[in-house]
């Protein structure tokens, strides 16, 4: 027995899509002749493309999407596609069915939160469930194999045609949300830029003007130059004092002269003092002079 999951693949769990607030629904309905499916269904019944039972079946299968998108801007878009040469509702049905089955086999969905497998199951029956007991050649497969009976073929075809409309509408809504998000980001960036400029202006206002800074720098340079001049004058004065001291000290014997004089004195034979007993006689002035000359 083949299960639905085996046939369509396991659908991924996604966060249900929440549509944007429909503030302009009535305007959209007035602007676009076929902006809601009620009018579209009535038109299909009038053209005898769908029966009332077909419409009831479609409304059950599409109920989750009808709750999200009460009005569609894409009905005319798909109708214009079908009006093109070589494009029919059967072609749209085949293409859309292939797209949804392929996405379902990968666990994906074109519309977030929409359970395609559950919705499509409304059009499938088993041989026991087929109310018209349609003769279907199943190729020897189990009689529980599900299929679309001829009694539901028209409804199933329009199911995929209308599913294309919802897919287009979902893409439009997502693009609007992205555009609104980008606009908000741009507004925030603009606000941040204005705040940055205000901070820069406040910093410039609190900082001293460049002219004042230049004047202060010039004054500091003058003070430095004056201090350097004072130090130079003091140094020159000290040098002048040293020169004067040198002139005053011309009469003072130099170190070389003193050394030569001492050398000559050492060559002079010391005088012999009279015999005296140093234990009993005090040191005389004469002895002091001799000690100085011999030192």
């Amino acid at each position: 027995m083949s299960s639905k999951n085996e046939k369509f693949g396991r659908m991924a769990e996604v966060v249900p899509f929440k549509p944007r607030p429909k503030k302009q629904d009535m305007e959209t309905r007035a602007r676009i002749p076929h902006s809601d499916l009620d009018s579209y269904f009535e038109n299909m019944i009038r053209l005898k493309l769908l029966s009332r039972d077909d419409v009831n079946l479609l409304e059950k299968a599409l109920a989750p999407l009808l709750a999200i998108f009460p009005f569609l801007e894409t009905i005319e878009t798909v109708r214009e596609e079908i009006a093109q040469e070589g494009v029919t509702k059967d072609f749209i049905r085949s293409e859309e069915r292939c797209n949804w089955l392929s996405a379902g086999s990968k666990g994906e969905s074109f519309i977030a939160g929409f359970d395609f497998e559950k919705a499509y199951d409304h059009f499938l029956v088993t041989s026991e469930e087929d109310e018209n007991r349609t003769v279907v050649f199943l190729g020897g497969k189990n009689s529980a194999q599900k299929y679309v009976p001829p009694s539901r073929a028209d409804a199933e075809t329009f199911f995929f045609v209308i599913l294309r409309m919802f897919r287009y509408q979902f893409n439009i809504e997502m693009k609007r949300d992205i555009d609104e998000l980008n606009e908000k980001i741009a507004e925030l960036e603009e606000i941040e830029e204005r705040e940055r400029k205000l901070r820069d202006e406040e910093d410039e206002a609190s900082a001293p003007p460049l002219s004042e800074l230049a004047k202060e720098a010039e004054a500091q340079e003058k003070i430095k130059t004056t201090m350097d001049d004072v130090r130079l004058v003091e140094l020159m004065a000290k040098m002048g004092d040293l020169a004067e001291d040198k002139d005053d000290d011309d009469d003072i014997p130099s170190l070389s002269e003193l050394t030569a004089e001492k050398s000559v004195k050492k060559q002079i034979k010391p005088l012999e003092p009279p015999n005296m007993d140093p234990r009993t006689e005090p040191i005389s002035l004469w002895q002091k002079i001799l000690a100085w000359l011999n030192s």
Side-chain angles (χ1 to χ4, degrees):
M1 178 177 178
S2 176
S3 65
K4 289 187 295 181
N5 286 339
E6 292 173 346
K7 186 174 182 179
F8 301 115
R10 184 178 180 81
M11 299 296 290
E13 293 184 2
V14 293
V15 178
F17 173 72
K18 294 182 179 180
R20 300 166 63 252
K22 305 296 181 180
K23 296 180 180 179
Q24 299 177 346
D25 281 341
M26 298 308 297
E27 296 179 5
T28 301
R29 187 172 183 176
R31 178 171 53 86
I32 303 175
H34 300 288
S35 59
D36 63 282
L37 286 178
D38 289 339
S39 299
Y40 180 78
F41 287 148
E42 291 298 327
N43 189 43
M44 294 300 101
I45 292 174
R46 182 177 60 82
L47 296 174
K48 296 182 178 181
L49 295 174
L50 290 173
S51 67
R52 181 61 63 182
D53 291 338
D54 291 335
V55 171
N56 292 337
L57 186 61
L58 284 168
E59 289 177 341
K60 290 179 182 178
L62 298 171
L65 294 179
L66 288 169
I68 297 175
F69 306 105
F71 299 100
L72 296 175
E73 304 170 55
T74 55
I75 294 177
E76 290 301 313
T77 302
V78 176
R79 293 184 68 186
E80 290 173 1
E81 285 184 352
I82 297 175
Q84 296 176 8
E85 185 178 357
V87 179
T88 64
K89 64 180 184 301
D90 293 320
F91 174 83
I92 298 293
R93 177 258 181 198
S94 178
E95 186 177 65
E96 199 68 18
R97 181 177 183 275
C98 181
N99 291 336
W100 280 92
L101 291 178
S102 177
S105 65
K106 300 175 184 177
E108 301 173 354
S109 176
F110 289 110
I111 301 177
F114 175 62
D115 190 341
F116 166 77
E117 180 182 335
K118 183 177 180 180
Y120 188 54
D121 192 53
H122 285 82
F123 305 93
L124 302 176
V125 297
T126 64
S127 58
E128 288 82 6
E129 296 170 343
D130 189 355
E131 55 188 16
N132 295 323
R133 297 293 184 265
T134 304
V135 177
V136 178
F137 297 96
L138 300 176
K141 294 183 180 179
N142 191 297
S143 60
Q145 175 69 44
K146 288 193 171 184
Y147 60 93
V148 179
S151 60
R152 301 186 185 185
D154 290 339
E156 191 246 12
T157 297
F158 276 92
F159 169 75
F160 285 104
V161 171
I162 297 171
L163 202 57
R164 194 182 190 95
M165 300 174 185
F166 280 113
R167 181 165 63 85
Y168 287 174
Q169 186 68 40
F170 176 78
N171 292 339
I172 291 174
E173 298 289 347
M174 290 299 294
K175 184 179 183 301
R176 285 174 179 168
D177 289 342
I178 292 173
D179 291 342
E180 287 183 1
L181 179 61
N182 289 332
E183 289 178 3
K184 290 180 180 179
I185 292 174
E187 290 176 0
L188 290 175
E189 290 177 348
E190 185 178 350
I191 293 173
E192 290 179 356
E193 180 65 18
R194 288 201 300 265
E195 291 178 350
R196 185 188 65 79
K197 288 182 179 180
L198 288 174
R199 289 195 299 268
D200 293 343
E201 291 175 358
E202 290 175 357
D203 293 341
E204 291 177 0
S206 61
L210 293 177
S211 57
E212 295 295 330
L213 293 174
K215 290 180 181 179
E216 183 178 353
E218 184 179 357
Q220 293 291 339
E221 185 64 24
K222 287 182 179 179
I223 293 173
K224 181 178 180 299
T225 303
T226 303
M227 295 299 296
D228 292 342
D229 292 342
V230 170
R231 293 190 185 95
L232 181 59
V233 171
E234 291 177 351
L235 181 60
M236 292 177 65
K238 289 181 180 178
M239 292 178 65
D241 293 341
L242 291 174
E244 292 178 0
D245 293 341
K246 185 176 183 303
D247 295 338
D248 295 339
D249 295 341
D250 287 342
D251 298 335
I252 300 174
S254 62
L255 179 61
S256 58
E257 292 175 348
L258 291 174
T259 304
E261 182 180 353
K262 185 174 182 181
S263 176
V264 172
K265 289 180 181 179
K266 286 186 178 180
Q267 293 177 3
I268 300 174
K269 185 178 181 180
L271 298 176
E272 294 291 339
N275 294 328
M276 297 190 316
D277 186 356
R279 293 174 297 177
T280 57
E281 296 294 334
I283 297 176
S284 63
L285 178 60
W286 180 259
Q287 289 175 313
K288 293 181 179 179
I289 293 173
L290 289 177
W292 180 80
L293 291 175
N294 289 328
S295 61

